[in-house]
Amino acid sequence: MFQVFLFQLDIGLIQQWMVPTIRNSLEPFKEMSLGRMLERLLKLAVPNHLIWLIFFYWFFHAFLNLLAELLRFSDRQFYKDWWNSESVSTFWSTWNIPVHAHLVRHVYLPLLNQDRVKFNRFWASTVVFLLSAFYHEYLVSVPLNMFRLWAFGGMIAQLPLSVFVNRYLKGQSGNVAVWISLILGQPLCILMYYHDYYVIHVASTSN
């Protein structure tokens, strides 16, 4: 019952908070008003992050543990303390353990152990991240029926951000950088996809 409540809460927040904010962002994008665009981005960041946190708790903690209980699955480490991550790479390896373990087992380790082309740890990790970025873009582009690479680009931008955080930011500063990338990155991609979707599927049809 609690899981149903959380799911309905997410839907309600999307319909009543996010959708109006996204619709109101179209005019600043048309006028290329940077100040208003930034205001819409920050305004959207609050409900987006709240919805993301609720969804994370609903899916990774409540739903997957319920599924594991029903299936009597003993390994129930679906996430680690990603909120304490002091680097971008730590976040991506701790917030979604099932997917991370799958990519390590079937992509990362085979790249390190193959005989023909030798991959070091850096390039093997880069290939894994590129594959993850492709699937993020695929999951967005297919339902929207358009190909724009915003999700792919957002994921790729995590690579230089990870290098920067590892080199120049330590401890709490690194953790702040991780949180800022989470809070601002997702709403920025949402706004860009909405703008492009409107131009391609709505404005062109009405004209």
Side-chain angles (χ1 to χ4, degrees):
M1 194 66 182
F2 183 62
Q3 296 180 35
V4 175
F5 167 76
L6 290 178
F7 185 73
Q8 293 299 322
L9 178 61
D10 254 0
I11 293 177
L13 291 173
I14 291 172
Q15 293 176 342
Q16 300 299 322
W17 199 349
M18 282 193 67
V19 172
T21 304
I22 294 173
R23 288 177 177 172
N24 292 334
S25 68
L26 190 59
E27 185 176 344
F29 270 84
K30 285 182 178 180
E31 299 175 355
M32 293 303 295
S33 175
L34 296 180
R36 295 175 63 194
M37 290 165 60
L38 179 61
E39 184 267 339
R40 291 295 189 274
L41 173 64
L42 296 176
K43 189 175 181 180
L44 182 63
V46 176
N48 175 81
H49 197 63
L50 178 61
I51 290 168
W52 185 79
L53 290 175
I54 293 174
F55 176 81
F56 175 85
Y57 179 84
W58 170 76
F59 183 76
F60 285 93
H61 186 78
F63 177 76
L64 289 183
N65 273 290
L66 174 62
L67 191 63
E69 185 71 25
L70 294 175
L71 299 177
R72 297 184 179 181
F73 191 67
S74 59
D75 185 3
R76 302 186 186 184
Q77 190 178 52
F78 304 115
Y79 60 91
K80 295 181 181 178
D81 57 338
W82 55 265
W83 47 89
N84 293 325
S85 299
E86 297 180 354
S87 67
V88 177
S89 56
T90 302
F91 167 79
W92 285 109
S93 63
T94 54
W95 90 276
N96 189 341
I97 296 298
V99 170
H100 175 70
H102 177 83
L103 290 174
V104 168
R105 183 182 301 114
H106 298 288
V107 180
Y108 180 77
L109 291 179
L111 288 176
L112 291 180
N113 298 326
Q114 66 175 339
D115 297 327
R116 294 183 178 180
V117 181
K118 286 293 184 182
F119 283 80
N120 58 30
R121 293 180 179 274
F122 173 79
W123 286 111
S125 299
T126 302
V127 171
V128 171
F129 212 84
L130 288 173
L131 183 62
S132 178
F134 168 78
Y135 278 109
H136 276 78
E137 181 63 42
Y138 178 81
L139 291 174
V140 177
S141 296
V142 171
L144 295 180
N145 193 25
M146 65 179 191
F147 188 64
R148 279 296 181 271
L149 290 178
W150 294 117
F152 184 86
M155 290 288 293
I156 295 302
Q158 297 284 306
L159 291 175
L161 177 63
S162 177
V163 174
F164 176 82
V165 172
N166 289 337
R167 182 169 297 180
Y168 298 107
L169 301 178
K170 303 295 182 182
Q172 292 183 353
S173 299
N175 184 250
V176 170
V178 171
W179 276 102
I180 291 177
S181 69
L182 291 175
I183 293 172
L184 297 181
Q186 293 178 8
L188 179 60
C189 284
I190 291 172
L191 290 177
M192 300 307 296
Y193 275 113
Y194 175 74
H195 174 266
D196 291 350
Y197 183 86
Y198 182 87
V199 171
I200 295 174
H201 296 289
V202 179
S204 60
T205 303
S206 60
N207 292 335

